[in-house]
Amino acid sequence: MPASSRSELITFLAQGKPEELLGTPECEWVDFKSGGFGAPYDLRTPKGKFELSKDIAAFANSGGGLIVCGVTAKQRANELVEVATKLTPFQQSLIKIDQFKTTIDDLVRPLIKVSYHWFAHPASDDDLAGHYFVLDVEALPEADRWALVRKVLNDNDQFTEGWTVPIRHDDRTTTISADDAYRLMNDGLRSRTAPPWAAPAPTPPSDPVQARHDLEAHLGWDELPVLFWQSTPQNAPELINGLHSQDGIRGALLNQDAMRPHGGFNFSSDYKRPEPYRGGLLLADSRRAVAIAADGTVTAAVVATSEMLGWSMEQRFGETGRINVVTLSELMLEYFRLVDEKILPAVDGPWQHRIVAARFAQEPARVLAPGANPEFPLIGAVQQASADKWNQSWTAHGDPEQDAYEGLQRVYALFGLDASQNPYVEDKKLSTALLQAAFTR
């Protein structure tokens, strides 16, 4: 079946099912590039560099998306858009990721966050061999748009002075017209010279990448495998209401309504108190942490070791790096019970949730079994993390069980698994009732 979302497409590749991509139409969130005997972008030429930069900027300007290299797309006679029609995996040696990063950093302004992932074609296929290369482009926040490519091509496909603002429109990459660019610049000038009684523009949200780096450096976790949760308001205030109040955010951190307040896997503490941290709040110990920035951005993290995410698995099974599926599920639901119910209502407008796994593939790699049997969730065949850096996001639903399922789905995809195999998932939600019933067994 064709992929219907970014996370589903990644899941198909991680599970070794690239054939499921066939029939997927190109759209605002995915673009396919042929592989075969040549690299998808020839970065030895100005044209190749421009095409890469244009595609990256277009997705950043249009909500983010995936560039999937190693799949050919064509427009059939009875279809309006190009669809994936053929698998063309290629050799990894054709891609130099450093060249991709250098090209994008040089030609695209502002800097765009891009994640790079390799997926192997199934070894059981005697007809095809090679890999698929996926560029996962993060959307620029509305306050930071627009991304532009700072050079253009002349008639001889050589760089010349100029700039262009690419956007994604359905299955095509196009550019903002000169009239639209003129209007945007003038709108920006008018907002900068607005009268003093005019409403101020929304403050850009905190930098999620910097927030993660700051937190793991503060905790001394920058060489450990770590799982992060992040939640960012689109209309971020300079200071969230009630941040340091006992009746507000501080009180919510101090008095969390955890499913298992004593001895469970959550972000509450019996002996720690929220403390000031970079103008916001931090509640942390040696294995878990949750930080809330002044604008409401939430960054939480746990170590993916036997101290937390892999609790008791090394002792029981003798496997270093094995993740406890019960611990993962409980932490996932507890994070969203805290954030969706206590933090999101404090800032109006849409929020973005994010899951980031850092250093999961470094030796010894993290492994996970889906826990499909609810009677024995800690047993089963394990799958290894397929990438060392994993960064996935979605628009918040505001329902803890639904957002917890979305987060779990993204963690499972990293291991080539589907979240429906989790014993506590029901109707695309991570069920509080099923988890609580497991605690009594």
Side-chain angles (χ1 to χ4, degrees):
M1 56 179 290
S4 59
S5 67
R6 293 164 66 178
S7 60
E8 186 173 41
L9 188 151
I10 291 290
T11 298
F12 286 150
L13 290 174
Q15 290 180 340
K17 300 177 181 178
E19 69 281 357
E20 298 287 352
L21 273 57
L22 298 178
T24 300
E26 292 189 330
C27 59
E28 69 277 359
W29 58 265
V30 66
D31 190 18
F32 295 109
K33 300 292 181 183
S34 298
F37 296 103
Y41 295 96
D42 186 357
L43 300 186
R44 298 170 300 179
T45 67
K47 184 178 180 180
K49 293 178 179 180
F50 178 77
E51 290 297 324
L52 171 63
S53 302
K54 175 170 62 72
D55 291 343
I56 294 294
F59 277 121
N61 286 331
S62 310
L66 304 175
I67 301 173
V68 182
C69 305
V71 178
T72 298
K74 290 185 178 180
Q75 184 173 348
R76 295 168 175 162
N78 61 339
E79 293 169 333
L80 296 176
V81 299
E82 292 190 350
V83 301
T85 57
K86 184 179 180 181
L87 301 178
T88 53
F90 55 94
Q91 298 303 310
Q92 287 182 290
S93 59
L94 293 176
I95 295 286
K96 301 292 188 293
I97 293 180
D98 284 346
Q99 293 180 358
F100 276 69
K101 293 179 179 179
T102 299
T103 298
I104 295 167
D105 289 349
D106 179 48
L107 293 178
V108 181
R109 296 291 183 273
L111 296 180
I112 305 298
K113 298 179 180 67
V114 183
S115 301
Y116 305 87
H117 309 285
W118 283 106
F119 298 96
H121 188 79
S124 57
D125 188 343
D126 295 331
D127 297 323
L128 286 176
H131 288 75
Y132 304 93
F133 182 55
V134 178
L135 295 87
D136 190 344
V137 184
E138 185 170 321
L140 277 176
E142 288 286 349
D144 294 342
R145 294 183 185 173
W146 297 78
L148 60 83
V149 180
R150 67 179 189 89
K151 291 184 180 180
V152 294
L153 297 177
N154 61 21
D155 293 339
N156 296 319
D157 285 337
Q158 298 298 313
F159 280 132
T160 187
E161 292 303 316
W163 53 268
T164 186
V165 180
I167 56 174
R168 190 76 181 166
H169 181 68
D170 294 331
D171 64 325
R172 296 178 293 110
T173 293
T174 183
T175 58
I176 288 180
S177 68
D179 289 341
D180 285 341
Y182 176 80
R183 177 181 54 80
L184 288 170
M185 286 189 291
N186 275 275
D187 287 347
L189 288 171
R190 280 193 291 270
S191 68
R192 289 162 60 183
T193 58
W197 58 84
T203 303
S206 301
D207 182 350
V209 177
Q210 191 62 48
R212 295 195 301 270
H213 290 170
D214 290 344
L215 183 59
E216 64 183 1
H218 179 79
L219 299 169
W221 294 356
D222 39 8
E223 294 185 2
L224 295 175
V226 178
L227 182 65
F228 289 95
W229 291 259
Q230 285 191 295
S231 301
T232 307
Q234 182 169 309
N235 302 321
E238 290 187 358
L239 182 66
I240 188 172
N241 288 332
L243 176 60
H244 294 287
S245 169
Q246 292 297 113
D247 297 326
I249 305 301
R250 176 184 287 273
L253 281 182
L254 189 59
N255 304 300
Q256 294 181 43
D257 182 25
M259 292 182 289
R260 293 193 292 173
H262 307 291
F265 295 98
N266 49 57
F267 296 92
S268 66
S269 176
D270 290 331
Y271 60 94
K272 289 280 190 177
R273 294 292 181 268
E275 60 186 41
Y277 172 74
R278 297 178 179 271
L281 288 168
L282 173 65
L283 180 60
D285 57 26
S286 62
R287 56 182 184 164
R288 59 190 166 181
V290 56
I292 303 179
D295 68 355
T297 295
V298 184
T299 303
V302 299
V303 291
T305 68
S306 59
E307 292 297 312
M308 192 60 168
L309 203 55
W311 183 259
S312 84
M313 301 304 288
E314 187 171 345
Q315 295 90 327
R316 287 195 184 199
F317 299 97
E319 293 185 56
T320 302
R322 182 165 178 168
I323 291 174
N324 185 319
V325 71
V326 179
T327 304
L328 172 63
S329 302
E330 186 175 356
L331 283 166
M332 189 69 69
L333 186 54
E334 290 286 24
Y335 174 82
F336 291 107
R337 291 177 78 244
L338 170 65
V339 174
D340 281 358
E341 294 177 352
K342 302 298 183 181
I343 313 299
L344 265 65
V347 181
D348 291 334
W351 283 65
Q352 183 182 63
H353 289 320
R354 181 178 303 281
I355 292 287
V356 178
R359 298 174 289 277
F360 267 44
Q362 70 179 16
E363 293 296 333
R366 303 302 95 176
V367 297
L368 175 68
N373 186 340
E375 297 295 326
F376 305 100
L378 301 185
I379 66 174
V382 297
Q383 299 290 324
Q384 183 172 310
S386 59
D388 207 38
K389 295 180 181 179
W390 185 248
N391 189 325
Q392 297 283 308
S393 64
W394 69 99
T395 300
H397 299 286
D399 178 339
E401 292 187 337
Q402 191 173 359
D403 280 321
Y405 170 77
E406 295 279 359
L408 195 70
Q409 186 180 40
R410 284 156 174 80
V411 174
Y412 268 50
L414 173 59
F415 295 90
L417 300 170
D418 191 280
S420 63
Q421 298 173 277
N422 181 281
Y424 314 115
V425 164
E426 186 176 51
D427 297 328
K428 293 190 175 181
K429 290 188 175 184
L430 186 53
S431 169
T432 305
L434 291 178
L435 260 175
Q436 289 179 322
F439 300 153
T440 63
R441 291 196 182 106

